[in-house]
């Protein structure tokens, strides 16, 4: 895959990537952490029988139940925690994407559209839990749409940010890593959908693990990207302080 060439003028004075807002990196970290923390807390509360990251769907954590779908029994005592995580994580990542500097025109839209898809997907997942009853009353379609938006939006966002690595202040290695996790996520999504279709009414034992392959990689990638942006900003601030001190001495 070829790297996009950036002119010094497009990157700012001296050919360097722009100084990012403090909120950009923090929000790109916070969004995935909200999801992963909500998932962990809700899973730890599900003890009878114990929740399995390998077998159970992520969405099961948002169903208080009791309910059954695809042969999986669902009873999540802290369903509200997972649904709060669903609702907030995509909106937080969208806010972090909006806060990024030096993305304009088509580049900005190419970044904002998948981020918006991810945010909408999270809200739909929260408002329409994926229970067996939802499948019967028709709201399950909204839940499925939310999951699809989340899978596509999150992984495409990781790929787009990876391709814009220089513009947003990431290293080439970090850019490539984001592209890799996005591709892994899309491949995992394809495998997940294939398993859903082939398994019928009884979900295959590793379905939860495959689903997480479509979600967790891009979440971890965005955390790393946000941390890199924040670290670079801190390093630039320290360098500016040292330069000012040298000039005064």
């Amino acid at each position: 895959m070829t790297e996009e060439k950036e002119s010094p003028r497009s990157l700012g004075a001296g050919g360097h990537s722009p100084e990012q807002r403090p909120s950009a990196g923090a929000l790109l970290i916070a969004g995935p952490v909200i999801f992963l923390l909500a998932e962990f807390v809700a899973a730890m509360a599900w003890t009878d029988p114990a929740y399995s990251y390998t077998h159970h769907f992520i969405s099961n954590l948002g169903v208080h139940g009791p309910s059954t779908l695809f042969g999986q029994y669902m009873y999540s005592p802290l369903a509200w925690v997972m649904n709060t995580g669903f609702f907030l994580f995509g909106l937080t990542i969208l806010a972090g994407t909006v806060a990024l500097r030096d993305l304009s025109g088509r580049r900005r839209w190419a970044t904002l559209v998948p981020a918006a898809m991810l945010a909408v997907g999270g809200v739909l997942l929260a408002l329409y839990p994926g229970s067996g009853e939802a499948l019967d009353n028709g709201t399950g379609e909204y839940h499925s749409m939310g999951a699809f938006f989340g899978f596509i939006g999150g992984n495409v966002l990781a790929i787009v940010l990876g391709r814009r690595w220089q513009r947003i202040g990431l290293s080439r290695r970090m850019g490539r890593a984001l592209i890799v996790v996005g591709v892994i996520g899309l491949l995992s999504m394809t495998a997940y959908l294939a398993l859903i279709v082939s398994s019928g009414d009884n979900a295959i034992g590793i379905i939860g693990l495959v689903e997480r392959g479509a979600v967790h990689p891009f979440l971890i990638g965005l955390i790393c990207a946000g941390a890199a942006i924040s670290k670079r900003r801190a390093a630039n601030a320290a360098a500016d302080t040292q330069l000012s001190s040298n000039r005064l001495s």
Side-chain angles (χ1 to χ4, degrees), residues 21-190:
R21 298 180 180 91
S23 58
L27 289 168
L28 289 177
I29 295 171
V33 168
I34 288 171
F35 182 101
L36 295 172
L37 186 59
E39 182 185 26
F40 176 78
V41 171
M44 290 301 98
W46 183 328
T47 58
D48 188 22
Y51 181 85
S52 169
Y53 271 58
T54 300
H55 175 62
H56 288 111
F57 294 103
I58 299 173
S59 297
N60 290 7
L61 293 170
V63 178
H64 187 274
S67 183
T68 302
L69 182 64
F70 292 117
Q72 293 195 4
Y73 176 74
M74 291 175 278
Y75 177 68
S76 179
L78 294 182
W80 67 270
V81 172
M82 190 70 248
N83 288 325
T84 300
F86 280 144
F87 191 89
L88 293 177
F89 93 101
L91 292 172
T92 305
I93 292 172
L94 174 60
T97 305
V98 170
L100 289 171
R101 284 183 173 144
D102 206 40
L103 290 172
S104 59
R106 287 181 298 176
R107 292 188 183 93
R108 188 159 190 81
W109 281 111
T111 308
L112 291 181
V113 168
M117 285 183 64
L118 179 61
V120 171
V123 171
L124 289 175
L125 290 171
L127 297 181
Y128 302 99
S131 64
E133 292 72 24
L135 192 64
D136 294 333
N137 63 30
T139 59
E141 294 181 5
Y142 297 110
H143 184 86
S144 297
M145 185 184 301
F148 183 75
F149 278 13
F151 292 149
I152 294 292
N155 287 298
V156 171
L157 176 63
I159 292 171
V160 172
L161 291 179
R163 289 183 58 82
R164 309 292 183 222
W165 62 272
Q166 195 169 15
R167 282 187 167 274
I168 61 177
L170 299 176
S171 68
R172 185 189 299 269
R173 179 178 296 178
M174 178 63 68
R176 288 174 175 168
L178 285 172
I179 293 172
V180 168
V181 299
V183 171
I184 290 173
L186 292 176
L187 291 175
S188 297
M189 179 196 73
T190 302

